[in-house]
Amino acid sequence: MAISKKARPFEWARKHLLGLRELSRDELLYVLDTAAGFEEVSKREVKKTPALRGKLIVNLFFEDSTRTRNSFTLAASRLSADVINFTSKESSVSKGESLLDTARNLEALGVDIVIIRHNAGGAPTFLSRNINACVVNAGDGYCEHPTQGLLDAYTIRKHKGGLKGLKIAIVGDIAHSRVARSDMWAMTKLGAEVIFVGPPTLMPAEVGKLPVTVSYSLDDCIEKIDVINMLRIQFERQSGNPFPSVREYSHYFGLTVDRMKRAKPDIMVMHPGPINRGLEMESEVADGKNSVILEQVSNGVAVRMAALFLVNQAAAQKATEK
Ligand code: CP
């Protein structure tokens, strides 16, 4: 579907991408439009552009990742940057080195952009205040996962032409989900109605202050929604049991073939991954005709190319102003 690329009346000025809460609607659209341009690069025979040639990027990951880390690596490579892949398990963090010392040592190696995933909420913001390099948040605690929110919005926009007026359900473990929060900020700013769906025990304490409606029943909303984003139950972040049994959770909140029969024929089925097949969704749905789950992963490359390109451009602009 064609997307309007009207010139937007400002320049991108952020040298860090920390979250979507602080981004305006125009900034969100600017990233999505920039990503649309980079998607074209990924379709070329030679999938490279020299935009970040000579720049050094580090993937500073303190948590495991399949999609985010590999797609940032690919995005950096397509922009012709050099990439260091750092994982805390194989580093001197195990000997007691702090986050800041780690980042400063990487800066001493000439790093221009730090992409950080950390289980502590606020770690990317902390780094952005204490190092000179650009910082891009690849997921911090329960707080934000901005490039996931952007790639989700990008995927919906590609299919539906825009987000305005869409009803989007985000289902499951909202309380522990940084994806739910980044999605919520992006989707509501772009004009969608977001419904958080799940048991009360998996809703965030602050849900009443968020720009969403809440439903405790997937059956009550399945017929009226345009997009459904199923979240993984984050067992590794749970303390206590948020529901009596996995079977009971699946019965009430799982996206099953039977439930899909009641959904709109063109409902978009999304999942940020990794999927617990048979728990939050049946395999037939995850791999079915409404699923855009692997397309989300593909779109992540263009979106991350846009994020890296824009923060680098803002840093260069700020350097010339000094
Ligand atoms: N969606 C997502 O963040 O997946 P990874 O944990 O594999 O990066």
Side-chain angles (χ1 to χ4, degrees):
M1 189 165 294
I3 292 162
S4 140
K5 285 189 193 159
K6 278 185 277 183
R8 302 196 187 280
F10 68 94
E11 288 297 315
W12 177 268
R14 294 179 190 272
K15 68 174 269 196
H16 309 296
L17 179 62
L18 303 174
L20 302 186
R21 185 181 188 140
E22 60 259 33
L23 263 57
S24 67
R25 177 178 175 278
D26 276 347
E27 285 176 303
L28 289 165
L29 290 171
Y30 196 82
V31 185
L32 300 185
D33 286 348
T34 306
F38 281 124
E39 195 182 338
E40 182 269 323
V41 173
S42 298
K43 291 179 185 152
R44 290 184 201 157
E45 195 173 329
V46 179
K47 299 175 175 51
K48 287 254 187 198
T49 171
L52 264 61
R53 190 163 54 199
K55 298 292 173 188
L56 180 57
I57 295 177
V58 63
N59 273 323
L60 186 58
F61 274 57
F62 291 81
E63 280 184 4
D64 295 341
S65 167
T66 295
R67 284 145 287 269
T68 311
R69 195 176 65 201
N70 287 315
S71 91
F72 265 120
T73 302
L74 192 53
S77 162
R78 290 200 171 155
L79 293 166
S80 307
D82 296 316
V83 186
I84 298 173
N85 271 306
F86 168 102
T87 50
S88 56
K89 284 173 197 152
E90 296 160 357
S91 75
S92 291
V93 169
S94 62
K95 301 173 196 163
E97 191 162 40
S98 72
L99 169 62
L100 187 53
D101 279 339
T102 302
R104 283 189 174 145
N105 277 273
L106 291 164
E107 266 199 319
L109 293 174
V111 161
D112 300 288
I113 303 177
V114 175
I115 299 162
I116 177 171
R117 169 171 288 192
H118 205 288
N119 60 7
T125 303
F126 168 75
L127 269 197
S128 73
R129 291 176 182 159
N130 289 286
I131 62 174
N132 294 317
C134 303
V135 177
V136 176
N137 181 359
D140 64 323
Y142 312 160
C143 291
E144 284 237 30
H145 191 347
T147 55
Q148 182 72 45
L150 287 163
L151 75 88
D152 288 346
Y154 185 87
T155 304
I156 296 170
R157 194 174 178 229
K158 261 185 92 170
H159 278 259
K160 305 279 189 189
L163 280 77
K164 197 168 169 47
L166 294 180
K167 288 189 194 312
I168 303 176
I170 302 177
V171 183
D173 188 356
I174 316 280
H176 302 101
S177 177
R178 52 200 178 206
V179 175
R181 287 167 176 80
S182 287
D183 274 358
M184 171 194 73
W185 294 120
M187 292 167 183
T188 54
K189 286 176 196 203
L190 296 175
E193 179 194 338
V194 172
I195 310 163
F196 279 174
V197 184
T201 46
L202 289 177
M203 287 293 162
E206 77 281 13
V207 73
K209 297 183 189 149
L210 300 176
V212 296
T213 52
V214 175
S215 172
Y216 301 121
S217 166
L218 182 52
D219 283 323
D220 281 355
C221 39
I222 189 71
E223 287 164 13
K224 64 183 180 193
I225 51 187
D226 302 292
V227 179
I228 187 162
N229 193 7
M230 303 302 295
L231 302 176
R232 182 175 68 90
I233 303 292
Q234 304 201 24
F235 289 109
E236 72 277 17
R237 298 188 201 272
Q238 310 280 350
S239 56
N241 291 328
F243 40 79
S245 72
V246 162
R247 206 167 139 190
E248 192 158 8
Y249 177 84
S250 294
H251 178 73
Y252 287 104
F253 295 103
L255 193 54
T256 58
V257 172
D258 265 1
R259 263 198 187 102
M260 280 293 286
K261 288 179 187 155
R262 294 178 42 220
K264 290 185 179 180
D266 63 345
I267 188 173
M268 286 178 69
V269 173
M270 306 180 79
H271 195 302
I275 304 173
N276 287 317
R277 286 174 182 262
L279 203 172
E280 64 264 14
M281 103 194 322
E282 289 182 347
S283 271
E284 293 88 329
V285 181
D287 304 326
K289 67 179 175 54
N290 295 80
S291 171
V292 295
I293 294 169
L294 293 178
E295 202 184 310
Q296 288 171 263
V297 179
S298 304
N299 290 336
V301 178
V303 164
R304 290 177 174 122
M305 286 172 82
L308 295 174
F309 174 77
L310 290 172
V311 296
N312 179 67
Q313 194 180 55
Q317 181 62 34
K318 284 183 201 300
T320 61
E321 289 164 7
K322 278 188 182 160

